[in-house]
Amino acid sequence: MDAKSLKIKAAAEALTYVKDGMRLGIGTGSTAEEFVRLLADKVASGMNVIGVPTSERTAALCRELGVKLSTLEETPQLDLTIDGADEVDPDLTLIKGGGGALLREKIVAAASSEMIVIADESKLVNMLGAFPLPIEVNRFGLAATKFAIEQAAGKLGLAGPVTLRMTGDEAFVTDGGHLILDASFGRIPDTRALSNALHAIPGVVEHGLFLGLARVAILAGADGVRTLRSRASV
Ligand SMILES: O=C(CO)[C@H](O)[C@H](O)COP(=O)(O)O
């Protein structure tokens, strides 16, 4: 089965968790976009939901397909967020931000009672870190922030290239106007320690490690769709 079909299968399973009247956080990326398309079909046939998008890209797709949008200002508490991921470990700790939307994605997920991750099963790993960790940083002091990240990682026994994300010849700029450093540290045995260390650096706006946010992961593979639940899930 091709990758797009797997994404659609995971998205379709996630849609079964969506109930009429829900306030939804809507993720970013190719898998989240498949979810938006299926959600829009439900909306067209009468389902009433309101969505808070995690990026301008997702907002544009929702508008195009007729999914009603809100903001966290108007709707500060959400029932459910559905989003993709770059890596998922068995505890449902995630690496996100491959699409550059990690800050809004984390804010939206944290404002939701539940977060469901949707992905093809290639995203499931025993230990996070093969996918470079996206770190959103302020433009001011970029070199100093990069140095501080490398130093903090080194203290945890982590090393590897930390590179500025580019779009062609220009630095990639997030919806919030920040930059992204992609940190290729390799395997990250202690995600909590790295998260704390990164949060202690003033120029770091947010990082792509999502700890304790996802309760359910829906993973589609050639043999079908698997649902993993975190120990904290009900
Ligand atoms: O974190 C993300 C965007 O910031 C995406 O959820 C992640 O990159 C997965 O994307 P895709 O579904 O296209 O593989």
Side-chain angles (χ1 to χ4, degrees), residues 7-232:
K7 291 172 191 184
I8 293 171
K9 277 193 179 301
E13 178 65 18
L15 195 61
T16 66
Y17 290 76
V18 176
K19 307 293 175 222
D20 200 56
M22 273 189 166
R23 301 160 297 179
L24 295 176
I26 305 182
T28 295
S30 57
T31 319
E33 283 176 13
E34 297 304 342
F35 172 75
V36 173
R37 292 181 201 287
L38 297 175
L39 180 67
D41 291 345
K42 284 275 186 192
V43 167
S45 52
M47 183 183 257
N48 181 33
V49 292
I50 192 137
V52 172
T54 54
S55 63
E56 298 302 327
R57 182 174 138 192
T58 294
L61 183 64
C62 288
R63 280 190 206 102
E64 183 190 323
L65 298 178
V67 175
K68 232 189 290 171
L69 293 181
S70 183
T71 63
L72 286 181
E73 279 64 42
E74 291 167 352
T75 313
Q77 289 181 296
L78 305 175
D79 300 300
L80 174 63
T81 286
I82 295 182
D83 200 350
D86 299 299
E87 282 187 346
V88 181
D89 81 4
D91 290 333
L92 305 196
T93 300
L94 315 172
I95 286 183
K96 285 186 53 55
L102 67 101
L103 175 60
R104 292 190 186 184
E105 288 172 334
K106 200 178 277 191
I107 293 170
V108 168
S112 299
S113 302
E114 295 281 347
M115 179 191 191
I116 295 179
V117 177
I118 50 176
D120 70 77
E121 69 180 4
S122 69
K123 304 282 183 78
L124 181 65
V125 295
N126 281 330
M127 191 181 287
L128 299 176
F131 191 92
L133 177 67
I135 304 171
E136 186 156 347
V137 297
N138 201 291
R139 286 166 178 270
F140 181 84
L142 175 64
T145 301
K146 179 175 178 293
F147 181 71
I149 290 170
E150 288 163 344
Q151 293 290 105
K155 286 187 186 147
L156 298 171
L158 300 170
V162 176
T163 55
L164 182 64
R165 190 178 297 183
M166 304 293 289
T167 315
D169 293 339
E170 305 282 330
F172 174 89
V173 179
T174 68
D175 285 346
H178 307 123
L179 306 177
I180 298 235
L181 292 171
D182 289 305
S184 300
F185 294 144
R187 291 155 67 86
I188 306 170
D190 190 343
T191 49
R192 175 66 63 189
L194 181 58
S195 171
N196 290 342
L198 293 174
H199 278 152
I201 298 169
V204 170
V205 178
E206 193 47 85
H207 59 71
L209 288 169
F210 280 47
L211 292 105
L213 287 167
R215 299 278 190 89
V216 174
I218 296 172
L219 304 171
D223 296 335
V225 175
R226 275 198 288 165
T227 299
L228 306 185
R229 291 174 198 281
S230 76
R231 276 174 232 127

